[in-house]
Amino acid sequence: MSERLNYYWRVFATGFCFAIFGLGGLALRILFFPLLSLLVRDKPRRTRLARLAVHYAFRFFIELMRVVGVLAYRIEGMEKLARPGLLILANHPTLIDVVFLISLVPNADCVVKASLANNPFTRGPVEATGYLCNDSGPELVKACIASVKAGNNLIIFPEGTRTPVTGPMKLQRGAANIAVRGPCDITPVTIRCQPLSLTKGLPWWRVPPSKMNFTIVVQDDLQVSSMVDEAHGEALAARHLTERLHDYFSTESQRHAGA
């Protein structure tokens, strides 16, 4: 009986947390960001403050999920994210991975789906923070490089979408192109969730038998410049780097799964 009650509680608590998330995004758009625009005329400073507001909002959301018993988490190597100008690449097992990472990085920039810019709950944060939309074509790579060079910590999921529950991990080449053409060293982050939930194709109310346990590990940087020199060309280097990242994240996922 206690297990069944715990399950139903987590269904309710998960819905409650996502409702708070949506209302919070709407409040930022309607109240906070317009007030910020009135009080802060300098656009770069306004963008930094908007990103900081989202950072703290996401920290609150993660802590809310922890307090109500939806999840628990452990973070290793968090101090590595305190450096400016990072290209942060991560695997993408769950719906809230980007929320986790932005909650750890005060001045985060990220590449978001263009649909989020049209969603009433997320449009405000996307516009105010200057997050990059993935519908800008070839110019997106240049914008990503410029963001890193400006000192922002750019978060990208090379898969482009959540990892499928079954089948192999598939990486797009965009993240490797950014790293190679920058050139920008890579700060890899591996995300593990056990038991797995909030995955691709799984509705939020299908909660697992027990609360989710996240392990987020900030790994040592991967040096990119030497790979470009060895490949004798950016296109070949990007292909080799994509293959290396695929092997890297696949190996890390398998290692975590066997832990």
Side-chain angles (χ1 to χ4, degrees):
M1 178 63 73
S2 61
E3 291 182 0
R4 184 179 292 271
L5 288 175
N6 179 266
Y7 176 85
Y8 286 130
W9 165 254
R10 284 184 293 106
V11 172
F12 169 79
T14 302
F16 172 76
C17 289
F18 280 121
I20 293 297
F21 184 88
L23 291 173
L26 198 59
L28 286 173
R29 177 190 172 194
I30 295 175
L31 300 175
F32 180 78
F33 292 136
L35 184 62
L36 185 64
S37 297
L38 288 174
L39 298 178
V40 181
R41 309 306 299 176
D42 180 66
K43 185 175 181 179
R45 182 167 179 263
R46 188 167 67 240
T47 299
R48 288 194 301 272
L49 291 173
R51 290 178 178 176
L52 192 62
V54 172
H55 161 73
Y56 282 114
F58 283 6
R59 280 184 62 178
F60 171 81
F61 176 72
I62 294 297
E63 285 304 305
L64 177 63
M65 296 191 86
R66 183 190 65 81
V67 169
V68 299
V70 172
L71 58 79
Y73 64 86
R74 177 170 59 88
I75 302 170
E76 299 179 12
M78 182 176 170
E79 69 281 355
K80 299 173 187 175
L81 298 178
R83 301 168 294 161
L86 299 179
L87 175 59
I88 301 169
L89 303 187
N91 63 315
H92 197 2
T94 81
L95 180 65
I96 60 173
D97 299 330
V98 67
V99 179
F100 253 115
L101 292 182
I102 291 179
S103 76
L104 301 177
V105 181
N107 188 31
D109 194 0
C110 63
V111 177
V112 299
K113 293 181 180 179
S115 59
L116 294 179
N118 299 316
N119 186 305
F121 296 105
T122 57
R123 180 166 57 198
V126 170
E127 291 177 350
T129 55
Y131 291 157
L132 304 171
C133 291
N134 63 359
D135 63 345
S136 55
E139 296 301 315
L140 178 60
V141 172
K142 294 181 181 179
C144 288
I145 294 171
S147 179
V148 175
K149 298 300 183 183
N152 300 315
N153 289 343
L154 180 63
I155 298 170
I156 297 180
F157 299 100
E159 296 169 84
T161 186
R162 280 171 283 173
T163 310
V165 178
T166 59
M169 175 185 291
K170 295 182 180 179
L171 268 62
Q172 300 179 11
R173 200 172 293 182
N177 280 325
I178 295 166
V180 166
R181 290 174 58 181
C184 307
D185 290 338
I186 294 168
T187 302
V189 177
T190 55
I191 302 172
R192 177 198 178 198
C193 176
Q194 291 291 334
L196 190 58
S197 186
L198 299 177
T199 57
K200 191 178 181 69
L202 187 70
W204 65 264
W205 61 85
R206 294 283 297 275
V207 302
S210 59
K211 67 181 176 182
M212 298 176 288
N213 283 274
F214 281 83
T215 302
I216 300 175
V217 182
V218 185
Q219 308 283 354
D220 293 333
D221 290 354
L222 298 178
Q223 306 299 317
V224 172
S225 297
S226 58
M227 295 183 62
V228 177
D229 295 337
E230 293 171 2
H232 304 291
E234 290 182 348
L236 189 58
R239 189 178 75 183
H240 288 172
L241 181 55
T242 300
E243 294 171 352
R244 181 177 176 184
L245 288 170
H246 179 275
D247 293 342
Y248 182 90
F249 284 120
S250 297
T251 300
E252 288 296 322
S253 296
Q254 292 171 4
R255 184 176 68 83
H256 285 319

